[in-house]
Each structure stands twice: as structure tokens, then as C-alpha cells.
């Protein structure tokens, strides 16, 4: 039986409601590599918009710049996002990048738009305890970040990353494959910064001074584009 996108999105929402009642250490990070110049990306952008509504998911849209040459320069594209996607490809033993691509937990790759596959992988990641617990608390001095590893030695080398994003953006596409259409983008990444490397031997603590009012998340990941080990959002 063929599954429609609308039907699959409804299943994603139901799974999110069920998962929200379970105890776990943190949300599952879902990264969408996308581009305004990609004619096959709008369904993936819509899927990310649905995922962005879930409390158990940190959904992020990373706009790449390698389609800019076909007639429309993505207004949100950053070379850092292209480099991040290449990093994932290299870690997987490949040199090929494409859009749309979804990466779940820094580990599982989904080609194109496959909502049920995404739902299954999110559920699988949510059912396992996070190797790293992350907390992010606002106080009078800014933001207090704390992370603690729950792994036996030897622990992998990790990077602590701070990401800001814009919840919703609308853009009229004037040229290229999608000329004459209006694009809707959700949780568009505006900055991605590695703030520290960490070996996990002792709890990690730091203070963050936000440079904008945009939402912010912290992601702890195994170095060299390995699995995401823990994450937290600022609610």
C-alpha cells in the first residue's frame, strides 16, 4: 500500500505525542540538508516543519550552497553547512552529497523524503538512553550549559556545539527551477559554532552569551561527524 505524505506526517505527530510521555534524557536531533534551488526539496522542507512541532525532536534545516549556480542563490545557504554535509559523507566513506538528505542522530542517513523511515529512526533513537546528558538554563548572567558523560572509559573525543535557528522563513523564488513559487522553511540554521572539545572525563560546564534573540540548541557530538551523544534546546 502506498503511503501518502499527509498520512505519514499524521503518523509522525502521533508518534511524537506517544514518545513525549516516555522518560528519556534528551530530544533526537534531525538535520535536513536542503536548498531553495532544489526542486525536489519542498516536501522535505514540509516534513521538517512537522518535525519541528515535536517536543522530542530538535529539527534543523541546513541550507547548502552548491545549487546556487543553477539560477537562484539560496538566501539562507552557508558554506559551513555544505562543509558539514561533506563531513558526514566522508565519515560514511563517501564523497557524494545531495539534497534533500536527512541525518538522524548524526548517524542514520535518509535519502529524499521518506517520512515513515524517518519516524522509525526517530523512535529507535528515542528508545535508547543518551550517552551524554545536556542541560541549558537561563539565569541572570546569561545561559548556563552543563553536560555529563555516562560512558565507561575510553570515551570518544567530543565537540560541544551551539546552534541558532530561525523558526520560520518565507521566501519568493524568482529564478531557477522553482521560479514563481514561495518557499516555506522551518528551523533554518543561522549559526553553528563549535565552542569546545571535551573528553568526557569530568562534567563540562560553560556560560553562553547569546548574540541574538533566536532560539538556541546545544549539541554534543563525537568528533569528526560521529553520532550525536546528547542535545538540549532552550525553551
Amino acid at each position: 500500500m502506498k503511503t501518502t505524505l499527509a498520512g505519514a506526517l499524521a503518523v509522525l505527530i502521533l508518534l511524537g505525542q506517544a514518545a513525549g510521555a516516555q522518560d528519556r534524557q534528551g530530544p533526537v536531533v534531525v538535520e535536513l540538508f536542503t536548498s531553495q534551488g532544489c526542486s525536489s526539496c519542498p516536501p522535505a522542507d514540509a516534513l521538517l516543519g512537522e518535525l519541528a512541532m515535536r517536543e522530542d525532536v530538535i529539527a534543523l534545516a541546513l541550507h547548502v550552497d552548491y545549487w546556487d549556480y543553477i539560477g537562484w542563490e539560496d538566501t539562507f545557504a552557508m558554506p559551513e553547512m555544505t562543509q558539514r554535509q561533506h563531513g558526514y559523507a566522508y565519515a560514511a566513506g563517501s564523497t557524494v552529497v545531495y539534497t534533500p538528505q536527512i541525518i538522524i542522530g548524526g548517524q542514520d542517513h535518509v535519502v529524499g523524503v521518506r517520512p515513515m523511515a524517518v519516524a522509525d529512526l526517530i523512535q529507535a533513537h528515542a528508545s535508547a538512553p543518551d550517552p551524554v546528558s545536556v542541560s541549558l538554563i537561563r539565569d541572570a548572567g546569561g545561559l548556563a550549559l552543563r553536560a555529563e558523560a555516562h560512558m565507561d572509559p575510553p570515551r570518544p573525543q567530543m565537540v560541544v556545539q551551539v546552534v541558532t535557528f530561525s523558526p520560520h522563513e518565507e521566501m519568493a523564488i524568482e529564478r531557477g527551477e522553482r521560479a514563481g513559487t514561495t518557499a516555506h522553511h522551518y528551523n533554518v540554521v543561522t549559526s553553528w559554532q563549535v565552542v569546545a572539545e571535551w573528553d568526557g572525563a569530568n562534567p563540562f560546564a560553560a556560560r553562553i552569551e547569546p548574540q541574538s534573540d533566536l532560539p538556541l540548541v546545544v549539541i554534543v557530538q563525537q568528533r569528526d561527524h560521529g553520532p550525536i551523544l546528547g542535545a538540549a534546546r532552550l525553551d
Side-chain angles (χ1 to χ4, degrees), residues 108-192:
D108 293 304
H109 299 207
V110 178
V111 181
V113 187
R114 298 170 57 198
M116 295 310 300
V118 171
D120 289 344
L121 287 167
I122 290 174
Q123 194 169 27
H125 280 268
S127 67
D130 285 344
V132 174
S133 57
V134 183
S135 66
L136 189 59
I137 301 172
R138 187 187 299 277
D139 59 23
L143 301 178
L145 165 62
R146 182 177 175 84
E148 185 171 357
H150 307 287
M151 299 173 285
D152 294 328
R155 302 177 183 88
Q157 289 294 309
M158 295 170 275
V159 289
V160 181
Q161 304 161 111
V162 175
V163 183
T164 60
F165 62 90
S166 175
H168 179 248
E169 295 284 351
E170 182 176 323
M171 179 60 59
I173 309 297
E174 300 175 358
R175 296 181 299 279
E177 294 181 350
R178 296 168 62 183
T181 65
T182 299
H184 291 271
H185 304 293
Y186 304 91
N187 288 12
V188 178
V189 170
T190 59
S191 68
W192 195 299

